[in-house]
Amino acid sequence: MTIQVVAFALILAAIWFLGRNIVHNLEELGKDFNFSFLNSRAGYDINQRLIEYSNDSTHGRAALVGILNTLLVAFLGCILATILGVIAGVLRLSKNWIVGRLMTVYVEGFRNIPLLLWIILIFAVMTESTPQPRDFRGEDAEASMILGESVAVTNRGIYVPNVVFTRSLGGNEMTEAADGVEAAVIPTAAAIDWLLVLVLLVGGVFASKAIGRWATRTQEATGVRPPATFWMQLGVILGPFVVVMLVLGATLDIPELRGFNFSGGIHMRNSLIALWFALSLYTGAFIAEIVRAGIMAVSKGQTEAAFALGLRPNRTMNLVILPQAMRVIIPPLISQYLNLTKNSSLAIAVGYMDVRSTLGGITINQTGRELEGMLLLGLFYLVTSLVISGVMNIYNNSVKLKER
Amino acid sequence: MANTPSFVRTQMLEPQDPPLGEKGVVKWIRENLFSGWLNSILTLVSIYVIYWVLAHILPWALGGIWNAESLSECREIRDASGVGHDVACWAVIGARWHQLLFGFYPSELYWRPILALILFGVAIAPVLFDTAPRKLLIVTAIMPFAAYWLLWGGTIWGPIVTALGFVIGWAIIKYGSATLGALGATIAAIVVPLLYWLFVAGAISGALGSALPIGIESVASDRFGGFMLAIVIGVAGIVMSLPLGILLALGRQSDLFIINKCSVFFIEIIRGVPLIVWLFTASLLLNYFLPPGTNFDLMLRVIIMVTLFSSAYIAEVVRGGLAALPRGQYEGADSLGLDYWQSMQLIILPQALKISIPGIVSSFIGLFKDTTLVVFIGLLDPIGLSNAIRADAAWNGIYWELFIFIGLCFFIFCFLMSRYSMWLERKLQTGHR
């Protein structure tokens, strides 16, 4: 009790001391503490954006663009890192000596060298050793597009085909990107179409889950699984999707060389690519170790018991090994996703406009509102991590082994 | 019996050699590389990938040029030698190694960081290896102050007077417990040195400094750079964050409401926000929180921030170790009549820390790698120096050589740390396998 009172008094004293200093310092600098700067004109451009933004927009809007950019690279990174990590983790356990060694080199290399160095290195590779757009010109061009003349890898970024809707719900959006004006990663005019597609896909997944549950119920009641369940599940996801794509008139907008640069398609900037690849490769190395540990944590007796029950290897994996490995894998996996999201603030190294560069960089420099800006920035990251770790705790509790 | 065998061998046959395909290299290759179509494909793909990477890198790296004054000279040498492909220009490392290692530290004083590093090696030995002589622990205790004095220079009285504060605190715990009681002594051991540092230490060291001016040339923090900067920040962070992290973990596991909530709050806030945001906070905002007119060194701020950041992560790792101990250990310690600190020190922490070694070391590795982030607030770590070197006309456009050198150095440090942790883990392994 005495310790608590002493600690409480010390903490109150520290807070009072800091608070008084802040008030005093703000007074001395002639600044006040308010967030109205978010409504004033930003006056700077952001080259990478998911929503409408121009330099006439507000600082608040700029912050939102930055937040979406952060979430974009975090989302892309999490997907690629999971794929790389699972592959590397499984291959590292493989009996194939050469593959195992190769994966060890990958994992140790990325785990022991700073992420910042990898980001800069990959960015340098992207800008220094890729051809310029003009190298694609002419009959016997030095460089050529890959993947069936659809993807161009240049030192200004990677141009990939874009899906456009000729009969879009949001009006016709087959407009050319003017000179010097970049097309955003996802054209906003097509947002409503993409929303529709997304809703259908999510609905399809739920419907296919329902079919799966129905099939299991039928199997438990009658002993026979309804035929072609898998195809029904697949159809309910893909069917509506294909129909809507056809109705909306989806076509591929393939990038082509016009003048000194490529136009059409999606332009993925080097900054995004370098950040995305570096984050994915780096986090993938950590995920590989998690996956390896998770699989090794399931004791061999489990496999043998499943075989003794007469389960085939496939079902053994799905019904016995994976559910147990998942319990070990998921919590650290999610904390890796969290790390990836936080590490995306290294975007500063390649000039990717994430929330730290917009809200925590240019906006602070222009308005001189360090205290408010950093507070909002910290709050964004904090809320993101608390939400994710909250979800993780719920999950953990639901899969926890029930003990005394 | 009718079916008596008509022939029985009376002596054993010599064992025959296994067939050619079932022994030696052939068997190993067949089992490990080509034991199925999937494995064969994987093997061939891997061999091709290795070949492709080596074919691109080896001629470039091995044919590198080591003696040149600038990048253009490198290119002239390359063109003159008639090599068809690009070659590395390692000369940049020879020309600028002192900057990559020491930053802009005065070159005639290089002996000081080197001596500090050697001393550090001696000081860390008894902590890392229990076979090292225990007397070296005295060096360990003196080391932080000696290192500070060697690196930054200045009067010798500053570090000595500061160290005296710790001696005072230790003396109060040692001799005051009898009169003040354990709790009173602990509180006094915290409060008295604080008061001493705040109000008395400055005056004493000033007086001693003017009376007996012993000192070496002082070096400002902005002269620090390169791997020296990374190691100073990394080591300072590691040394200070471990005890702080353990305290935070104990706080988070504690039953005392206020201490528990404060620890949770601190840990979650620190962990929720990226280090780079904290570093910007340290460089932009710290002045708001300090009394007007105070201004302290950017490097010191960075060390404090890195320490706080890393301690929150270590706290979570140690908490995992504490939670993994069976309840019986806590109850056993209580039933022996040990008080809180005794049971922690003698029963709980030795076991919990042993479990958390891999996590703690990987936090340390993370901290060391994160020292590269200080480049964004204007300190010249190796990556910052690589930019500075490139800004020089002689070496404009040199990327790979510098990156590879820096990456290799970091790799060696971090890899050694992780190997040490694996060795320690094996050594402390007491369970049955």
Side-chain angles (χ1 to χ4, degrees):
Chain A
M1 196 61 218
T2 337
I3 293 184
Q4 295 234 53
V5 172
V6 171
F8 192 58
L10 279 178
I11 287 161
L12 277 187
I15 291 175
W16 176 80
F17 175 73
L18 293 180
R20 201 197 53 164
N21 282 338
I22 291 174
V23 172
H24 201 91
N25 282 316
L26 283 174
E27 248 171 41
E28 201 148 278
L29 293 167
K31 286 182 180 174
D32 54 350
F33 184 79
N34 72 55
F35 292 96
S36 60
F37 70 97
L38 288 175
N39 291 321
S40 55
R41 182 176 175 275
Y44 60 91
D45 284 312
I46 299 177
N47 54 23
Q48 157 92 50
R49 56 192 176 264
L50 292 175
I51 55 172
E52 214 65 60
Y53 174 85
S54 72
N55 57 15
D56 281 332
S57 307
T58 60
H59 281 296
R61 185 92 177 163
L64 190 62
V65 172
I67 287 177
L68 288 177
N69 280 345
T70 295
L71 294 180
L72 171 74
V73 76
F75 178 70
L76 291 175
C78 285
I79 294 176
L80 189 58
T82 312
I83 296 172
L84 287 173
V86 170
I87 292 176
V90 172
L91 284 185
R92 222 186 146 185
L93 284 174
S94 126
K95 282 204 193 102
N96 191 321
W97 183 84
I98 202 163
V99 172
R101 280 306 107 91
L102 206 60
M103 289 302 136
T104 309
V105 169
Y106 159 66
V107 169
E108 293 294 343
F110 273 87
R111 274 157 54 97
N112 288 323
I113 293 180
L115 172 61
L116 180 60
L117 202 61
W118 283 117
I119 294 179
I120 300 177
L121 200 66
I122 294 180
F123 188 68
V125 171
M126 297 294 301
T127 49
E128 297 292 315
S129 18
T130 47
Q132 296 182 343
R134 65 177 150 85
D135 293 340
F136 288 81
R137 185 114 35 82
E139 284 301 307
D140 50 338
E142 292 170 43
S144 61
M145 295 166 75
I146 53 174
L147 291 183
E149 295 284 302
S150 63
V151 175
V153 181
T154 74
N155 64 351
R156 296 189 194 178
I158 297 180
Y159 295 83
V160 295
N162 185 14
V163 177
V164 292
F165 299 105
T166 46
R167 290 184 290 275
S168 168
L169 295 176
N172 193 7
E173 61 108 34
M174 282 291 283
T175 48
E176 303 287 330
D179 246 12
V181 178
E182 302 292 348
V185 165
I186 297 172
T188 44
I192 190 163
D193 305 311
W194 284 115
L195 201 65
L196 182 66
V197 171
L198 193 70
V199 166
L200 281 176
L201 279 179
V202 172
V205 169
F206 275 107
S208 97
K209 282 245 168 96
I211 291 177
R213 277 197 301 274
W214 164 77
T216 309
R217 267 202 314 277
T218 317
Q219 187 181 16
E220 277 168 5
T222 64
V224 183
R225 200 169 174 83
T229 307
F230 174 74
W231 296 109
M232 276 154 73
Q233 283 177 309
L234 199 66
V236 91
I237 295 177
L238 287 185
F241 172 72
V242 171
V243 170
V244 164
M245 288 306 247
L246 287 178
V247 167
L248 292 176
T251 48
L252 275 186
D253 178 21
I254 291 174
E256 54 184 321
L257 191 59
R258 287 216 196 102
F260 292 103
N261 210 343
F262 282 88
S263 66
I266 300 176
H267 176 199
M268 301 179 84
R269 291 176 169 278
N270 276 337
S271 52
L272 172 63
I273 301 267
L275 189 65
W276 176 31
F277 282 7
L279 282 173
S280 309
L281 286 166
Y282 183 80
T283 314
F286 286 86
I287 292 178
E289 284 296 90
I290 293 170
V291 170
R292 188 172 76 116
I295 294 175
M296 278 168 45
V298 181
S299 79
K300 201 160 163 50
Q302 298 288 326
T303 321
E304 288 163 355
F307 286 158
L309 285 177
L311 290 180
R312 277 168 298 173
N314 201 0
R315 310 221 95 196
T316 305
M317 197 45 145
N318 283 335
L319 299 175
V320 179
I321 309 293
L322 275 187
Q324 297 185 64
M326 277 310 191
R327 187 183 292 133
V328 184
I329 291 174
I330 296 270
L333 185 67
I334 290 180
S335 99
Q336 284 305 324
Y337 290 162
L338 223 55
N339 280 348
L340 191 149
T341 310
K342 282 183 282 177
N343 281 338
S344 71
S345 57
L346 288 180
I348 184 175
V350 288
Y352 179 73
M353 297 297 274
D354 73 331
V355 63
R356 207 223 52 82
S357 325
T358 58
L359 174 66
I362 304 178
T363 294
I364 282 182
N365 288 341
Q366 286 193 356
T367 58
R369 298 266 174 199
E370 300 100 357
L371 199 57
E372 295 91 333
M374 294 307 277
L375 211 58
L376 284 178
L377 186 63
L379 213 59
F380 161 70
Y381 282 113
L382 199 61
V383 167
T384 316
S385 358
L386 287 184
V387 165
I388 297 180
S389 64
V391 172
M392 182 179 91
N393 281 339
I394 294 175
Y395 173 84
N396 269 347
N397 285 334
S398 74
V399 300
K400 195 164 67 176
L401 288 175
K402 305 290 182 287
E403 288 182 75
R404 63 162 165 140
Chain B
M1 298 289 270
N3 55 353
T4 311
S6 55
F7 168 74
V8 177
R9 192 186 290 284
T10 52
Q11 69 193 124
M12 288 293 285
L13 278 178
E14 282 292 300
Q16 283 191 332
D17 278 350
L20 217 57
E22 284 299 321
K23 66 170 185 182
V25 185
V26 179
K27 177 174 191 234
W28 186 88
I29 287 182
R30 219 177 51 192
E31 279 192 349
N32 287 297
L33 301 181
F34 297 99
S35 63
W37 59 270
L38 185 66
N39 245 336
S40 308
I41 292 175
L42 280 176
T43 305
L44 292 179
V45 168
S46 319
I47 289 175
Y48 178 73
V49 166
I50 293 171
Y51 164 76
W52 188 85
V53 169
L54 290 185
H56 277 74
I57 289 182
L58 278 189
W60 176 81
L62 294 182
I65 291 156
W66 288 90
N67 288 312
E69 288 302 309
S70 70
L71 187 60
S72 49
E73 198 186 324
C74 254
R75 288 187 177 140
E76 278 165 24
I77 295 174
R78 178 195 67 195
D79 292 340
S81 70
V83 190
H85 53 79
D86 231 357
V87 293
C89 184
W90 299 115
V92 64
I93 292 162
R96 296 302 184 96
W97 66 270
H98 50 94
Q99 263 187 15
L100 283 169
L101 292 188
F102 297 104
F104 295 101
Y105 207 80
S107 55
E108 69 277 11
L109 299 179
Y110 280 169
W111 62 271
R112 276 161 47 177
I114 293 172
L115 181 62
L117 190 66
I118 294 170
L119 265 182
F120 173 71
V122 175
I124 198 84
V127 181
L128 293 186
F129 306 103
D130 55 2
T131 46
R134 294 291 92 188
K135 288 239 168 80
L136 286 179
L137 280 171
I138 299 171
V139 183
T140 315
I142 300 172
M143 181 59 206
F145 308 101
Y148 175 84
W149 185 60
L150 277 176
L151 291 173
W152 275 272
T155 166
I156 196 171
W157 296 112
I160 288 184
V161 171
T162 312
L164 208 57
F166 286 99
V167 176
I168 293 175
W170 174 78
I172 290 177
I173 290 226
K174 176 102 177 163
Y175 301 109
S177 300
T179 48
L180 297 168
L183 185 65
T186 313
I187 293 175
I190 295 171
V191 172
V192 174
L194 275 180
L195 292 175
Y196 163 79
W197 282 321
L198 279 178
F199 300 111
V200 189
I204 294 183
S205 79
L208 281 173
S210 53
L212 262 179
I214 305 174
I216 47 180
E217 191 185 333
S218 72
V219 180
S221 285
D222 55 1
R223 311 289 297 269
F224 284 52
F227 279 100
M228 184 184 147
L229 181 86
I231 292 175
V232 168
I233 295 177
V235 167
I238 285 173
V239 168
M240 293 193 289
S241 68
L242 183 61
L244 198 56
I246 294 175
L247 281 183
L248 278 172
L250 291 180
R252 193 164 183 173
Q253 289 290 83
S254 140
D255 298 330
L256 305 173
F257 180 79
I258 293 171
I259 291 180
N260 178 299
K261 287 293 166 282
C262 287
S263 308
V264 172
F265 184 76
F266 179 84
I267 292 172
E268 291 300 330
I269 294 264
I270 294 269
R271 276 163 43 95
V273 178
L275 178 58
I276 201 166
V277 173
W278 286 120
L279 289 178
F280 275 106
T281 309
S283 79
L284 289 174
L285 290 189
L286 212 62
N287 282 340
Y288 283 103
F289 297 111
L290 294 174
T294 45
N295 186 21
F296 69 98
D297 201 51
L298 185 58
M299 194 162 154
L300 198 58
R301 298 183 195 184
V302 167
I303 291 179
I304 292 174
M305 264 308 167
V306 167
T307 305
L308 293 180
F309 188 79
S310 163
S311 68
Y313 279 81
I314 287 175
E316 284 300 90
V317 173
V318 175
R319 183 173 76 116
L322 288 173
L325 283 192
R327 267 212 78 70
Q329 296 292 329
Y330 293 86
E331 289 161 356
D334 286 346
S335 72
L336 286 177
L338 300 178
D339 70 15
Y340 179 77
W341 289 113
Q342 282 172 333
S343 71
M344 282 301 149
Q345 211 181 331
L346 299 173
I347 312 276
I348 307 298
L349 278 181
Q351 300 182 65
L353 288 181
K354 192 178 95 182
I355 304 175
S356 355
I357 284 172
I360 291 177
V361 174
S362 71
S363 299
F364 287 163
I365 293 176
L367 185 155
F368 189 61
K369 286 188 295 180
D370 280 346
T371 56
T372 50
L373 300 192
V374 298
V375 64
F376 296 124
I377 55 172
L379 294 182
L380 287 171
D381 82 316
I383 291 180
L385 275 167
S386 81
N387 294 334
I389 291 172
R390 222 172 298 127
D392 183 349
W395 298 108
N396 194 358
I398 195 150
Y399 287 95
W400 317 113
E401 292 84 350
L402 289 171
F403 287 154
I404 288 173
F405 176 72
I406 296 169
L408 216 57
C409 289
F410 270 107
F411 181 84
I412 291 170
F413 281 122
C414 299
F415 193 71
L416 286 182
M417 274 198 253
S418 76
R419 288 299 119 154
Y420 171 73
S421 101
M422 286 160 88
W423 174 81
L424 193 62
E425 224 181 310
R426 269 202 308 280
K427 197 173 76 97
L428 296 180
Q429 182 90 50
T430 48
H432 303 287
R433 280 252 151 186

